[in-house]
Amino acid sequence: MEGKEEDVRLGANKFPEKQPIGTAAQSRDYTEPEATPLFEPTEFSSWSFWRAGIAEFMATLLFLYIAVGTVIGYKRVVAATPVNSNTCPGVGIQGIAWAFGGMIFALVYCTAGISGGHINPAVTFGLFLARKVSLPRALLYMICQCLGAICGAGIVKGFQKSQYETYGGGANEVAHGYTKGDGLGVEIVGTFVLVYTVFSATDAKRSARDSHVPVLAPLPIGFAVFLIHLATIPITGTGINPARSLGAAIIYNKKKAWDDHWIFWVGPLVGALLASIYHQVVIRALPFKERS
């Protein structure tokens, strides 16, 4: 019997049990990063703090310029296309979705090393709830994002004022045939998808295990924005970004742009809250780890 046990031991060492696919790197050392302090006075004297705010301002400005410009251009081409024409009227919903998603991909890649590449108050809010950013930084980002969105939409109007006024200024509203509850629901779910993707793509634990994760992070975020737009453009025009909705509404400044505007704040913030809870409590189980 002892000989047989020794043979089994040697065989087990010679042919170790294979790890499940995707877990080969789980033996790497990893330390959970400490939560960001709620208030850090030294931030105000740091140039990197203000530089991050400027980066968020510029990124959101460029995002609104490309996104709203694409929407206006598409509506203009559709209006000029004969009803019975067999030609494709502009870029279509897919093209608009690609403009939003592609621009987010590019801008997150450009600003991730400076500000984290939020470009969205809902994303900032979700990361703040998860203690990834401090309160002053979150407020600075949200203010800069909103100001950038206003300026971006303003530049579009400045270049094509008559078309901007005629084709709705890219402002969000609940489409005919849908209720305000429908609009609120799709905004909550859409923002949940986006913020959950942000959490997953930038997770510190995955970054420690897989060196390629930080490089690839902008790709799934941009692709998530693209897919969300495909699903929700026909319903709300797709908000999932309060700064984007605010900037377009302020520059367009018509009654229909303000009637449903609350939906594009409440929906994204609730979606970000739910995504933060899901990732931190369910996926990462951080409260239980701290307790143990």
Side-chain angles (χ1 to χ4, degrees):
M1 291 293 293
E2 291 182 0
K4 290 184 178 180
E5 291 177 359
E6 180 66 15
D7 291 341
V8 171
R9 186 181 66 80
L10 292 174
N13 292 334
K14 187 176 181 181
F15 303 103
E17 183 179 354
K18 293 183 179 180
Q19 288 179 291
I21 294 175
T23 63
Q26 291 191 8
S27 60
R28 296 184 187 176
D29 292 336
Y30 168 74
T31 303
E32 191 71 40
E34 294 183 5
T36 303
L38 181 65
F39 185 80
E40 185 62 56
T42 58
E43 282 188 316
F44 297 105
S45 60
S46 171
W47 166 240
S48 63
F49 175 76
W50 302 106
R51 180 184 63 182
I54 295 171
E56 287 293 312
F57 170 85
M58 284 301 302
T60 315
L61 183 155
L62 295 172
F63 174 58
L64 263 289
Y65 173 73
I66 295 297
V68 173
T70 303
V71 172
I72 299 300
Y74 166 68
K75 290 186 175 182
R76 181 183 181 184
V77 172
V78 169
T81 302
V83 177
N84 297 324
S85 175
N86 292 325
T87 60
C88 179
V91 296
I93 290 179
Q94 295 88 344
I96 295 174
W98 274 122
F100 278 81
M103 200 60 186
I104 287 295
F105 166 69
L107 293 171
V108 170
Y109 180 83
C110 291
T111 60
I114 303 171
S115 65
H118 296 192
I119 322 171
N120 185 336
V123 171
T124 301
F125 180 63
L127 294 174
F128 166 71
L129 293 177
R131 303 286 301 276
K132 304 292 185 183
V133 295
S134 65
L135 179 60
R137 185 174 292 267
L139 293 175
L140 174 68
Y141 281 15
M142 291 181 184
I143 292 171
C144 290
Q145 289 157 359
C146 290
L147 292 176
I150 294 169
C151 293
I155 292 173
V156 176
K157 183 176 181 179
F159 286 161
Q160 41 185 337
K161 184 174 182 179
S162 61
Q163 292 87 351
Y164 189 91
E165 297 287 347
T166 302
Y167 301 116
N172 290 115
E173 59 182 278
V174 178
H176 180 72
Y178 294 96
T179 66
K180 294 183 187 298
D182 296 332
L184 181 62
V186 300
E187 288 296 311
I188 291 174
V189 175
T191 311
F192 178 92
V193 173
L194 171 60
V195 177
Y196 176 46
T197 303
V198 170
F199 273 115
S200 299
T202 60
D203 190 286
K205 193 170 186 177
R206 295 185 64 188
S207 298
R209 293 174 175 173
D210 304 306
S211 60
H212 62 277
V213 168
V215 178
L216 296 179
L219 182 59
I221 295 171
F223 196 64
V225 171
F226 164 70
L227 294 174
I228 295 164
H229 276 75
L230 284 182
T232 60
I233 283 176
I235 304 174
T236 61
T238 309
I240 67 170
N241 185 334
R244 172 260 186 273
S245 300
L246 179 66
I250 287 179
I251 299 302
Y252 184 58
N253 199 28
K254 296 289 192 297
K255 183 178 182 299
K256 69 175 184 177
W258 294 110
D259 285 344
D260 302 325
H261 187 68
W262 64 272
I263 291 173
F264 303 100
W265 280 90
V266 175
L269 294 181
V270 171
L273 169 65
L274 296 176
S276 179
I277 293 173
Y278 177 67
H279 184 267
Q280 297 295 97
V281 177
V282 178
I283 300 300
R284 295 300 308 281
L286 293 183
F288 306 103
K289 292 179 181 178
E290 293 175 0
R291 189 178 304 170
S292 59

